[in-house]
Amino acid sequence: MTAVGIDAIEIRTGKLKLDLANTFAPKKGEDPEKYTKGIGLKHSSFPDVYEDIVTMGANAAKDLMDRTGLVPDDIGRIDVATESAFDNSKPVSTYIAGCLEQVYDGDFHHANKGERKFACLAGTQSIDDAYNWIRAGRNRGRSALVIATDTALYERGDPGEATQGAGAVAMLISEDPNVVELSTDQGYGSADETDFLKPNQQFPSVDGKRSVQVYLARMREALEDYESVAGDTHPDDFEYIPFHTPFPGMVRKAALLGYRHMTRGTDVEDALESEIGRQPREADFDSWDAYEDAIRDYMDDLKETDQYSEWYGHAIEPTIDISSQVGNWYTGSVHIARLSALRSAARKGESLAGKRMLVGSYGSGAQAEIHAETVREGWKDEVSAIDVEDQLDSRYDISYDEYELVHDVHNHDKEVDVEEFTQPDGEFVFTGWGRMNERRYEYIE
Ligand code: CAA
């Protein structure tokens, strides 16, 4: 069976950045380390005045097409994953295709376009849709463009404000891919939850503490479901484990839970027995609460062991590097976690082809999905060609007053006139509204 998976990746960060320790923390009267160490973020990315989910998505897609030499006829499908859409009918993919048609000969009139919604999980679901389309033989030799694009903004004063971010990830899904091959083994953990939602409103209603618990519960269910089809997992099976990263502190919790689960009944549990005892077993407890307390105590000890630290440093830490500099990109977050790990491996000269990653996606509301991916021969050239550092380093560092203005500019209920902070250069920009209240875009040379 021909491999199908991610063939090329590009990202586009919002062109502004907010320094959480030095700009945000003092205004909030918080210790900077709450953000840098507790939550795990240095900066958040924000869109400039002329940027939004369409411009970031279209700019990432154009970079991808230019770098890989693709033309519109090579693309048979454009799926956009977002939870920041501004239209309940017309999908963002039509806007993005319209932008791209301004600069390429040819068009996307025979490409199937859509928009996927399941909170932050939708990017992964769009990749699945593309995979299934190719596997079903309906692609006529063409590839799919999946674009995960979001402006993850919270109400001012919401605890989530510290985890904001804005950016897009464009991914090309093809046969015989360069970066990773997707496997058919998947696990799901899904339940009707009220943890984070946007019922016809721009900024989310969030029960932050509960959302953390729901993330962990669904991720654990997904891992159990994954194991029911792929067999028991062991930490040594996977080079990297990229998780959905609303903020790196969340990944610390998910990684610990995953490691405990994966090491249960293994050589790792045996090796740790003399130091921290064996993992608690439910049958040994009179109540679920007592069992959970014992598990929590075990995890507190596990976190301090050398084995865990070493595994975390190798398999998890490299996945959170980009996120710690940009904040939450919602649908794109798990995909920048994968990219972050691969770029770190490329920098260290690791030889990854044929090795596997376990990818844990999550969307509030709530559903987690876990699947394995196998790294392909072309991964290093592909991920090294992406200008991640240039984009991150060239962001304009906003003051707190500027942050307030930027937040207002992107608030759909406010009308404020603010000068742009950066100059557009070879990119799509938002230019205003048309006669039917549609958003309009132009390519600036
Ligand atoms: N030094 C070091 N660490 C510190 C510190 C300091 N001075 N002060 C606080 N901390 C630590 C805390 O101990 C805590 O760590 P632990 O959870 O490991 O104990 C961490 O910093 C955060 O502190 P708080 O819990 O006090 O922070 P908070 O209550 O202000 O906000 C939050 C945390 C509720 C998660 C908030 O950021 C939030 O609501 N975020 C939005 C929702 C979210 O992202 N949920 C994640 C799961 S849902 C999801 O994944 C979907 C999605 O993308 C939104």
Side-chain angles (χ1 to χ4, degrees):
M1 203 158 59
T2 318
V4 175
I6 304 176
D7 194 29
I9 307 172
E10 277 291 343
I11 68 157
R12 181 58 69 120
T13 177
K15 290 167 83 173
L16 311 178
K17 71 172 177 192
L18 176 67
D19 185 325
L20 291 166
N22 298 309
T23 307
F24 189 74
K27 287 285 179 182
K28 294 285 168 186
E30 295 277 10
D31 179 354
E33 294 205 335
K34 169 174 175 180
Y35 303 111
T36 52
K37 296 217 165 118
I39 284 174
L41 290 172
K42 298 184 200 100
H43 296 111
S44 301
S45 281
F46 284 89
D48 203 339
V49 173
Y50 54 85
E51 293 184 294
D52 66 8
I53 50 172
V54 172
T55 66
M56 294 185 299
N59 287 318
K62 179 173 182 300
D63 286 351
L64 187 150
M65 289 181 65
D66 287 350
R67 186 163 60 70
T68 53
L70 290 168
V71 296
D73 278 350
D74 298 321
I75 308 291
R77 194 177 167 106
I78 304 179
D79 286 311
V80 169
T82 185
E83 48 188 307
S84 320
F86 44 79
D87 192 315
N88 286 325
S89 177
K90 181 175 156 60
V92 171
S93 49
T94 59
Y95 281 99
I96 290 182
C99 286
L100 296 171
E101 284 170 355
Q102 292 181 30
V103 295
Y104 291 108
D105 290 336
D107 58 50
F108 297 95
H109 286 204
H110 303 297
N112 187 9
K113 306 181 190 96
E115 192 174 299
R116 247 300 188 169
K117 177 170 72 180
F118 198 141
C120 309
L121 183 63
T124 297
Q125 292 181 318
S126 299
I127 292 177
D128 266 2
D129 293 342
Y131 176 93
N132 294 336
W133 171 72
I134 294 173
R135 274 267 168 270
R138 293 173 137 183
N139 60 321
R140 302 185 228 155
R142 297 174 299 171
S143 298
L145 197 50
V146 168
I147 301 162
T149 181
D150 271 298
T151 46
L153 298 185
Y154 290 76
E155 202 82 69
R156 302 271 308 286
D158 187 289
E161 199 183 0
T163 66
Q164 297 175 115
V169 183
M171 292 166 281
L172 190 72
I173 313 302
S174 307
E175 286 169 287
D176 196 16
N178 276 318
V179 185
V180 289
E181 173 183 0
L182 300 162
S183 88
T184 48
D185 295 337
Q186 285 178 303
Y188 294 99
S190 188
D192 177 10
E193 296 278 8
T194 311
D195 52 338
F196 170 113
L197 56 159
K198 296 180 175 182
N200 285 327
Q201 63 199 44
Q202 183 188 4
F203 301 128
S205 300
V206 195
D207 184 341
K209 300 284 181 213
R210 193 172 141 60
S211 73
V212 169
Q213 295 314 317
V214 174
Y215 176 122
L216 294 174
R218 301 287 80 80
M219 201 60 89
R220 176 184 171 157
E221 270 177 10
L223 183 54
E224 285 166 355
D225 193 41
Y226 173 80
E227 288 182 327
S228 76
V229 286
D232 285 349
T233 52
H234 186 285
D236 293 348
D237 296 343
F238 306 103
E239 276 319 281
Y240 294 106
I241 306 192
F243 282 104
H244 167 57
T245 312
F247 55 95
M250 183 71 242
V251 170
R252 276 203 305 271
K253 294 179 203 291
L256 183 60
L257 186 138
Y259 189 79
R260 186 198 58 73
H261 182 97
M262 288 195 284
T263 54
R264 197 179 182 83
T266 67
D267 53 326
V268 180
E269 186 185 5
D270 296 344
L272 290 171
E273 184 172 2
S274 60
E275 196 179 339
I276 59 170
R278 294 194 75 74
Q279 294 199 20
R281 265 49 181 189
E282 197 186 333
D284 299 333
F285 293 85
D286 293 336
S287 70
W288 178 258
D289 286 351
Y291 170 61
E292 289 238 298
D293 285 347
I295 289 273
R296 256 192 297 277
D297 290 345
Y298 180 85
M299 296 219 292
D300 283 345
D301 294 340
L302 180 63
K303 191 165 54 180
E304 303 304 327
T305 62
D306 290 345
Q307 281 93 330
Y308 179 71
S309 298
E310 208 176 287
W311 172 80
Y312 185 89
H314 172 75
I316 306 291
E317 191 81 47
T319 69
I320 56 181
D321 178 44
I322 301 178
S323 291
S324 71
Q325 302 180 63
V326 302
N328 195 353
W329 284 11
Y330 286 163
T331 53
S333 286
V334 66
H335 307 293
I336 51 179
R338 176 198 293 106
L339 177 62
S340 190
L342 293 175
R343 283 178 64 87
S344 160
R347 276 194 303 274
K348 290 188 222 150
E350 286 176 16
S351 134
L352 275 194
K355 302 217 167 126
R356 295 201 305 154
M357 295 190 287
L358 192 67
V359 180
S361 305
Y362 174 74
S364 297
Q367 183 163 303
E369 187 266 5
I370 289 187
H371 68 265
E373 298 177 353
T374 306
V375 181
R376 301 272 294 172
E377 286 292 341
W379 72 278
K380 196 179 284 181
D381 288 347
E382 174 53 35
V383 302
S384 306
I386 310 168
D387 65 341
V388 179
E389 275 78 29
D390 287 352
Q391 287 193 42
L392 298 186
D393 293 349
S394 60
R395 287 173 297 172
Y396 174 84
D397 193 357
I398 45 179
S399 67
Y400 194 81
D401 289 348
E402 288 169 338
Y403 159 65
E404 290 186 307
L405 289 174
V406 167
H407 199 282
D408 285 352
V409 165
H410 294 287
N411 183 335
H412 297 167
D413 293 333
K414 292 194 177 171
E415 258 189 53
V416 285
D417 197 14
V418 178
E419 283 284 304
E420 57 235 31
F421 298 91
T422 60
Q423 281 309 307
D425 180 17
E427 64 195 285
F428 298 104
V429 300
F430 168 65
T431 55
W433 284 267
R435 89 189 150 84
M436 289 174 72
N437 210 22
E438 77 277 20
R439 290 173 76 88
R440 305 191 69 121
Y441 299 92
E442 224 177 80
Y443 186 76
I444 304 287
E445 291 294 343

